[in-house]
Amino acid sequence: MFTRDEAVALLRKYTKNEHLIYHAYCVEAVMRRFAKELGEDEEYWGLCGLLHDIDWDMFPEQHCKKAPELLKEINAPEDVVHAVCSHGWGICSDVEPTRQMEKVLYTVDELCGLVYATALMRPERMEGMEVKSVKKKWKNAKFAAGVNRELIDKGIAMLGMDKDKVIQLTIEGISSVAGNVGLA
């Protein structure tokens, strides 16, 4: 298995937009938080989250299709490639998320965007953020309009988890890296 340093180097090679780097760090942290909650491998889940958008910045028209080629550079195992490709299921990929980790990644990718946008509207950013703050913004379709709320709901249903719990774990994950992603 590749190291986090190798993953970050690959991410930075193909991702020049710093906001996309921030998003990758947020998804990584949230994946680690879910792994901890579910008694899974935090490093493995985090690395899949870190690399999930590896092809988005330079190859947006080939999102989730170019990723396998790029991930070969660090000898990513097939299960990591499958996870990365499955997060775009039904949008830009026909690779279905089947494992619990893949379902979490599918769900939290968009949710991270909503939580991040919510934090930007708060003077205290992530500090003290509550689920109800995110749910209030969720209801306003014009807020963070690019966030696909139906996809998040579909993912939560696949997970079989309580929506509030999914939002809470996402808040906790992003809070753990707030200082590194412009939310301190």
Side-chain angles (χ1 to χ4, degrees):
M1 184 71 162
F2 55 90
T3 67
R4 185 177 187 279
D5 287 344
E6 290 170 315
V8 169
L10 187 70
L11 178 69
R12 290 204 168 268
K13 178 178 179 180
Y14 291 107
T15 307
K16 302 306 176 190
N17 180 320
E18 200 63 25
H19 292 290
L20 294 175
I21 298 285
Y22 286 177
H23 174 68
Y25 290 160
C26 287
V27 175
E28 174 191 23
V30 171
M31 291 298 291
R32 287 176 181 275
R33 180 63 190 96
F34 270 83
K36 183 175 184 178
E37 182 74 15
L38 299 171
E40 298 290 345
D41 184 340
E42 294 175 47
E43 184 71 10
Y44 174 70
W45 283 41
L47 289 171
C48 290
L50 182 66
L51 293 172
H52 81 284
D53 277 344
I54 191 66
D55 57 6
W56 176 249
D57 195 20
M58 295 181 102
F59 309 99
E61 69 290 341
Q62 297 177 64
H63 187 41
C64 295
K65 292 175 180 60
K66 187 78 170 171
E69 176 187 330
L70 305 182
L71 291 168
K72 282 182 185 174
E73 293 183 30
I74 56 171
N75 297 312
E78 188 54 40
D79 55 328
V80 172
V81 174
H82 189 276
V84 167
C85 294
S86 74
H87 92 277
W89 181 56
I91 302 161
C92 59
S93 170
D94 59 0
V95 178
E96 184 175 351
T98 54
R99 295 178 295 142
Q100 185 77 348
M101 181 270 293
E102 294 169 342
K103 294 173 184 178
V104 171
L105 180 58
Y106 177 84
T107 305
V108 304
D109 179 24
E110 291 285 313
L111 184 55
C112 282
L114 184 64
V115 172
Y116 193 95
T118 301
L120 290 176
M121 301 304 295
R122 304 174 74 238
E124 60 279 352
R125 301 291 194 233
M126 289 304 297
E127 189 172 328
M129 184 185 287
E130 297 180 10
V131 170
K132 65 181 180 180
S133 300
V134 176
K135 288 176 83 172
K136 182 177 178 184
K137 295 293 188 188
W138 184 309
K139 291 178 188 175
N140 179 355
K142 291 182 180 177
F143 178 79
V147 172
N148 187 333
R149 288 146 170 88
E150 288 178 19
L151 188 148
I152 301 168
D153 280 330
K154 184 177 178 180
I156 291 171
M158 283 193 305
L159 289 172
M161 292 178 74
D162 177 70
K163 185 178 197 171
D164 287 6
K165 181 70 170 181
V166 172
I167 294 170
Q168 181 62 44
L169 293 173
T170 301
I171 290 169
E172 290 172 15
I174 295 175
S175 293
S176 74
V177 294
N180 298 327
V181 298
L183 294 177

